[in-house]
Amino acid sequence: MKSGANSGNEGKVGRSSERKVKVPKNAWIVRFLLGPVGKTVVALVAVAVLVTGGIFIHFYNQYSTLIDQRLKGGAYNATSRIFAAPQPIAVGDETTPAVIAMALRRAGYSENRKNAAGYYEIKPDAIDIFPGADSYFAQEAAAVRFSRGRIGKIVSLGDNTSRPLYELEPELITNLHDRNREKQRIVRYEDIPVTLRSAVLAAEDKRFFSHAGFDPLGILRTAYVDLKHGRMEQGASTLSMQLSRYMFLTLSRTWKRKAAEVLITMQLEQRLTKEQIFELYCNQVDLGRRGSFMIRGFGEASQVYFGKDIRSLTVPEAATLAGMLRSASYYNPYRHADRLLERRNAVLALMRDDKFITDRDYALATQTPVKVVSGAAESSAAPYFVDLINDELERRVPDHDFQANSDRIYTTLDLNLQRAANEAVSIGIRQVDELVKKQKRFRNVPFVEPQTALIALDPHTGQIKALVGGRNYGVSQLNHVLALRQPGSIFKAFVYAAAMNTAIAGGNPVITPATIVVDEPTTFRFDDQEYSPSNFEHEFFGPVTVRKAIAKSLNVATIKIAESVGYRKVVALAHASGISEDVKATPAMAIGSYVATPLEMAGAYTTFANGGIHVQPSMLALVKESGGRVMYTAKPETKQVLDPRSNYLLVNLLEEVMRTGTAAGVRSRGFLVPAAGKTGTSHDGWFAGFTSDLLCIVWVGFDDNRELDVEGARSALPIWTEFMKRAITFRQYSNAKPFDVPDGIVSLSVDPQTGMPATAACPDRKLEVFIAGSEPTGVCPLHRGKGDQTIVSGWDTPAVIGANAEIPGGAGERPVPGAATASRQVSRNSPPPAIPYKDPVMAQDPAQPPKKKGFFGRLKDVFK
């Protein structure tokens, strides 16, 4: 009984104890959670945590995938890079290791041995160069040794043998802009100078290298400063957070964007080193706009605003760029220089406070004015050239998106020549402005600036070495190299070339440099129309030699020569040389009245500068995919269009233009090396000229095609001369030689009044050149007497030059090189060849039968 009772009692006690468990009165939270409402809240919180955690994991993975894709495809915008031509250096060049190192850095080299482009090592009086896997060419490493400021020796590090010449890696011109018209020049962390790193850290995130992506102390400091000044002055975002926005997000101020920024920042800090994050940041920041392009990254900004490589930035320049990070448009140096100066000095103060610079550095830097480069609003030295590269890529490599791929585009551009071209245009166009401003039409009215274009190329390869398409790319992106304009008298070269070719192809008469043509007022009739041209300043010279006709650029005489040769033959030569098919066989054609572009004229003149062989201009050399596969390799497109002997005579005549003719200003301006050229004046001013190594065309005119009213000798010629004087200071173009004389060229002393072989009695005698067999025979009818002797190039007998023989172009000029290799006596019985005016109907090309005159026409002739 007791045990049973006890058992019952125990059960009652247990149930009683369960019912009477009490929670302390001060534990109300526990009581609440144990209650029905509390349990519901706990369940809801648990669900919320699970949902939030799920959302967090979802977006974390989503942004993780986004980051993976971006970093896998390359951290930077996928866009192709455009490089200049390799720059050769040679034994004897005046330079230093530092200068070569700077060129290598611009090409992407560094002192880091892991650099894919290549690396270098500077030593006392030497620099060792090691091309990398991504080098333009597979060449061996080399040691360049110096002596007394010059290259003394170039040694291959592969086989330890000497080399006379070594090519440096092509320099980067610019990145091919993407669809958003952004320009970016990638730099590596090790290439970012300490001064710029310090400026960025002081201005934006001085604890960057010590925090984990978020800076609580920085947030508190920012809040304190903002409260102290009563306004939002400070930003609390770290560099990592800013990078998250630049690379993956928009700049909208929403909670969704801020949350995404936090998630991406966490991942970037886990995946990348601090150095990698800093490098990405420096390449992604927005640093304003120039012209129609957005400037992204410090590498591009240093070129745009200071015209220098990022490694060369000074302390105040670094502080200026760092100051623009807060708002590039607000601190635009071209519009708000005062704002930027104040901001730069604030950054300098932060750098001093953070011990990045000394008090002395701070004082000197704050006294330095903000100086940014002016001129073309484009980071590259050749913006018009880059625009043409875009068009050329579409033509040469169609169906490939260069803006979405990291391809390497190697061009023909010589950066030294390009800089010379930019300088020459800048100087020369200001001189043109002064001449045009003096004209009556611009008195008391707004001045309209003339435009200009310059194109220089290697006449033997057709490679474009320098190109300027206008006076200021930021003002106008219109590329005047492609503008259709009347070439004026520079087209006359094709008339005289066709005339010289009559000695080869046949003609009646055969025209030579000594042929006499009558320069007088003349009305030409063609296709039942009359055409009455005049000469410059309406001056006529009467009977003149062909040499004088081209030297003085006589219009009437030139048309008469074209008429005698046959207009169709002249046009055929122009078309074969690459000039537009729109040029027609009419009298006006002979003096350049049909339109062509400066680029077309430059290509056409390669015929004369290249021994009669036309070379198609080119600007692309090589295109490689990012993986190294070659997509395009340039091959010269050449065509023989003129006999070398005829071409030599034409070149010799163009030399005369520079000696005594309309282009004599080239010599008076100090350009004295062997060269040939032709001025041109239509609505515009032109000059076309070349040496044995370099061809250059310059155009000056108005966009609206109004008349410039300044002849080519005073508008285009000075720009050409400024450029060529600079060009010949570079080794590749400094050894301009006299033009080669082909076999079969005859030199004969003639009287310039008659064009006949000179006698001892002739008061004025000139040594003239002819194609063998076309030289005049007989004696000067005005000064009869004993004739001279003829000198023929290519004969095997000893040379004999008559005592009364003089040099072409007058006293003081050289004899024709290569022509004095043999001699022979010539009969002196033939009259001088001449081109008097003839009715153009009778002077048609033999392929065109003369038109029959009607009754009234024949009746009219009776009374002539």
Side-chain angles (χ1 to χ4, degrees), residues 384 425 451-454 468-473 476 478-481:
Y384 295 99
V425 165
Q451 278 291 348
T452 186
L454 180 152
V468 178
R471 61 188 295 156
N472 189 319
Y473 188 83
S476 172
L478 178 63
N479 196 338
H480 297 87
V481 163

Side-chain angles (χ1 to χ4, degrees), residues 233-252:
E233 286 190 346
Q234 301 289 310
S237 294
T238 64
L239 294 187
S240 301
M241 297 169 70
Q242 293 180 46
L243 178 62
S244 300
R245 292 198 298 270
Y246 288 134
M247 287 190 68
F248 305 99
L249 302 170
T250 66
L251 299 181
S252 61

Side-chain angles (χ1 to χ4, degrees), residues 200 239 242-243 277-285 325:
V200 171
L239 294 187
Q242 293 180 46
L243 178 62
I277 293 175
F278 193 88
E279 177 187 303
L280 286 171
Y281 176 85
C282 289
N283 284 302
Q284 295 292 342
V285 289
L325 291 171

Side-chain angles (χ1 to χ4, degrees), residues 597-634:
T597 69
L599 180 58
E600 282 179 330
M601 296 307 298
Y605 260 71
T606 61
T607 297
F608 308 137
N610 193 37
I613 300 174
H614 170 254
V615 187
Q616 184 68 25
S618 62
M619 60 192 71
L620 278 179
L622 180 70
V623 180
K624 285 184 177 181
E625 288 183 334
S626 56
R629 186 180 74 88
V630 175
M631 302 171 61
Y632 171 79
T633 302

